[in-house]
């Protein structure tokens, strides 16, 4: 399970002027390479007491404002974010011998933005959101399926499924974005953008 990383290198002169443009380049590479779920990212949060937690969520928007995802606002991650509005993200693009790490503050998405995204989801996903009190302990699978059936009855057939008031999105506003490219002899390239007022500094980190 030891691998030689030799697919490529990352030089300061390769980088885009800002981390979002650079992220887009690498994201496009991940899509073009056919990686499964290229928009899957590990989201790390921590509780008021400093207890860390990490889980995968899907990136559903990326622009100069940051990295957006959607979730249940009653979930454990949402509680963490309310208590400690900071997070870290990891995009583990192993087949490309790459990883991107983001740290920053977390802000709530505008409910209109969440409503727009919710409306674009498949009906079954919308009903599933209503059926699941995410992160709560439940009696069994049947309880979940009953909740789903109840949601189906509540909004039968072509009835639009409304946005639950316990569902929405967050954006991680990047303070740092690090691009890691595996290299030979464990001399990997790590270039990190760090926000400095209105501009971005780029620093190389030891691997
Ligand atoms: C590939 C993948 C994508 C996922 N995407 C999301 C997502 O976009 N939003 C979400 O709330 N949970 C998503 N999940 C489920 C989370 O990993 C997690 O189980 C759930 O959000 C509850 O986390 P919490 O209890 O820490 O709040 C995804 C899981 C996987 C494996």
């Amino acid at each position: 399970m030891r691998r030689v990383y030799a697919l490529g290198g990352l030089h300061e002169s390769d980088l885009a002027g800002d981390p979002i443009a650079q992220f887009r380049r690498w994201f496009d590479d991940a899509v073009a390479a056919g990686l499964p779920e290229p928009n899957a990212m590990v989201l790390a949060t921590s509780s008021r007491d400093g207890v860390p937690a990490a889980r995968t969520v899907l990136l559903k928007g990326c622009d100069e404002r940051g990295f957006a995802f959607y979730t249940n606002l009653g979930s454990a991650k949402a509680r963490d974010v309310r208590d400690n509005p900071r997070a870290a993200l990891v995009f583990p693009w192993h087949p490309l011998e790459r990883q991107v790490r983001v740290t920053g503050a977390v802000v709530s998405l505008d409910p209109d933005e969440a409503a727009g995204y919710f409306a674009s989801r498949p009906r079954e996903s919308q009903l599933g959101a209503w059926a699941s009190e995410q992160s709560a302990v439940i009696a069994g699978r049947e309880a979940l399926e009953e909740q789903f059936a109840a949601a189906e009855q509540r909004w039968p057939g072509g009835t639009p499924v409304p946005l639950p008031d316990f569902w929405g999105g967050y954006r991680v506003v990047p303070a740092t974005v690090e691009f890691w490219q595996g290299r030979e002899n464990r001399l990997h390239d790590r270039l990190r953008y760090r926000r400095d007022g209105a501009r971005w500094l780029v620093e190389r980190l030891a691997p």
Side-chain angles (χ1 to χ4, degrees):
M1 300 233 266
R2 182 165 295 155
R3 184 162 159 187
V4 174
Y5 296 121
L7 284 183
L10 184 63
H11 194 263
E12 283 77 350
S13 61
D14 300 332
L15 289 180
D18 72 82
I20 299 299
Q22 180 60 34
F23 178 83
R24 288 227 179 85
R25 287 184 192 170
W26 273 25
F27 183 76
D28 289 348
D29 289 346
V31 172
L35 262 57
E37 309 226 51
N39 62 329
M41 55 189 188
V42 177
L43 164 73
T45 58
S46 68
S47 71
R48 194 195 299 269
D49 307 330
V51 177
R55 76 292 279 159
T56 307
V57 294
L58 296 178
L59 177 71
K60 287 292 177 179
C62 174
D63 59 25
E64 63 293 336
R65 295 169 300 171
F67 299 82
F69 63 93
Y70 293 95
T71 193
N72 184 307
L73 303 178
S75 66
K77 74 180 85 51
R79 190 186 54 231
D80 276 4
V81 160
R82 268 193 302 277
D83 289 346
N84 176 14
R86 285 173 290 184
L89 302 171
V90 180
F91 292 85
W93 292 325
H94 303 167
L96 296 178
E97 302 172 352
R98 285 176 174 173
Q99 118 181 305
V100 177
R101 297 171 61 182
V102 179
T103 65
V106 184
V107 296
S108 293
L109 292 187
D110 188 286
D112 288 347
E113 203 174 333
Y117 173 68
F118 189 79
S120 77
R121 301 179 84 204
R123 186 178 174 79
E124 293 68 31
S125 306
Q126 295 173 334
L127 294 170
W130 276 99
S132 168
E133 193 189 334
Q134 193 177 58
S135 314
V137 174
I138 53 175
R141 169 110 211 146
E142 301 71 35
L144 195 58
E145 285 169 2
E146 277 165 23
Q147 290 297 321
F148 188 87
E152 269 180 322
Q153 282 197 341
R154 194 164 165 199
W155 296 286
T159 324
V161 182
L163 174 74
D165 60 3
F166 54 83
W167 198 92
Y170 294 101
R171 176 176 287 119
V172 178
V173 179
T176 66
V177 185
E178 181 198 319
F179 294 85
W180 185 100
Q181 175 81 59
R183 297 292 300 273
E184 285 169 340
N185 304 326
R186 297 298 182 259
L187 301 182
H188 314 301
D189 287 322
R190 299 179 63 191
L191 293 178
R192 181 183 64 189
Y193 294 80
R194 184 161 58 82
R195 206 188 275 280
D196 177 38
R199 59 193 191 120
W200 289 99
L201 297 178
V202 174
E203 294 160 321
R204 179 173 283 268
L205 304 178

